[in-house]
Amino acid sequence: MIERLLPAYVACADTHETEAPAGTLYPEEARLVATSVDRRKHEFAAVRACARRAMATLGLPPHPVLRGHRGVPLWPAGTVGSMTHCDGYRAAVLARASDVRALGIDAEPNEPLPPDVWEAVSLPSERRRLSSWGVSEDSRGSAEGVSPGTPHGAGGTLPHWDRLLFSAKESVFKTWFPLTRTELDFDEADISFHRSSEAATHGTFTAELLRTAPGMPRSYVGKWLVDSGFAVTAIALPHG
């Protein structure tokens, strides 16, 4: 699924399996989750199994993926990547640093956000744009009069735009932070979604950053997809 959102030079691997085979983790990876609950251990291992598959696609030997500041994955030298996991889905993407500057991906269940979270992660400008599409505060999952869970499209559902907005901001942060090592709050990225029709289950988005960092662009372009009960977003930040 994630490969539908990224260029061909990006190695993508995903799974709906909740657990990875025994022995997936390197000892140094296993130590990072030694005291975690089983659920956390399983998702940690499953997404790293995806990372190893992406490495193989690029012709790289398997390599442990440890964590840096703020949990940023530490990829093999000369590569950039991103990982995501939620209930029922894990994905990792990897590319050579010569091909792309940074990658950011995120997957979420295609379900409404709690109202207090929606207010915390969205800007008034974002809420106005979604309102112009007929997305009301009481039914943020779809246009007014249409059930948010109504099946629509090839194996997908109508987007829950609040959840998709959250996912897009997560992808922006995952692209931004490894390059800047500075925080980016939810109110510092203004997201605009683009779609071909009201029934669309995929499209693009633009993120306008409301803060600056040396050498970083102010505008980011990504893609979004809703399929199989998941809202997925991705950014491939080009050089230049």
Side-chain angles (χ1 to χ4, degrees), residues 26-234:
Y26 284 82
E28 56 267 49
E29 291 175 324
R31 284 194 291 269
L32 296 177
V33 289
T35 61
S36 300
V37 298
D38 286 346
R39 177 178 174 179
R40 171 59 180 150
K41 291 179 180 178
H42 293 325
E43 66 186 16
F44 184 92
V47 77
R48 278 160 176 77
C50 290
R52 244 82 82 186
R53 287 166 48 204
M55 292 175 198
T57 299
L58 285 185
L60 301 174
H63 190 281
V65 182
L66 303 181
R67 293 186 305 214
H69 182 58
R70 282 291 313 262
V72 171
L74 301 179
W75 298 103
T79 67
V80 296
S82 185
M83 299 191 298
T84 187
H85 52 77
C86 65
D87 284 347
Y89 186 71
R90 292 88 163 86
V93 299
L94 191 67
R96 298 188 185 279
S98 57
D99 290 329
V100 66
R101 190 175 180 191
L103 296 169
I105 65 170
D106 186 72
E108 304 285 336
N110 185 35
E111 301 170 353
L113 287 174
D116 56 336
V117 176
W118 168 241
E119 294 295 331
V121 304
S122 62
L123 293 167
S125 54
E126 294 165 332
R127 294 193 290 271
R128 284 195 299 271
R129 281 192 292 272
L130 291 178
S131 177
S132 72
W133 285 3
V135 179
S136 71
E137 288 296 307
D138 296 328
S139 180
R140 295 188 304 275
S142 62
E144 280 187 292
V146 180
S147 170
T150 300
H152 217 314
T157 59
L158 291 175
H160 285 280
W161 292 106
D162 52 350
R163 183 72 69 163
L164 202 59
L165 181 80
F166 178 87
S167 178
K169 294 197 177 194
E170 286 290 304
S171 286
V172 171
F173 178 82
K174 291 179 180 181
T175 306
W176 160 277
F177 188 81
L179 295 174
T180 65
R181 292 296 193 268
T182 59
E183 301 294 328
L184 187 69
D185 291 333
F186 285 109
D187 63 359
E188 293 180 316
D190 190 352
I191 306 293
S192 299
F193 289 107
H194 314 289
R195 60 182 181 177
S196 59
S197 70
E198 289 186 6
T201 57
H202 62 90
T204 63
F205 67 89
T206 304
E208 299 293 338
L209 267 58
L210 307 181
R211 64 171 298 177
T212 60
M216 295 297 291
R218 291 290 295 268
S219 182
Y220 297 73
V221 176
K223 293 184 178 182
W224 64 267
L225 169 70
V226 172
D227 195 1
S228 303
F230 300 101
V232 187
T233 58

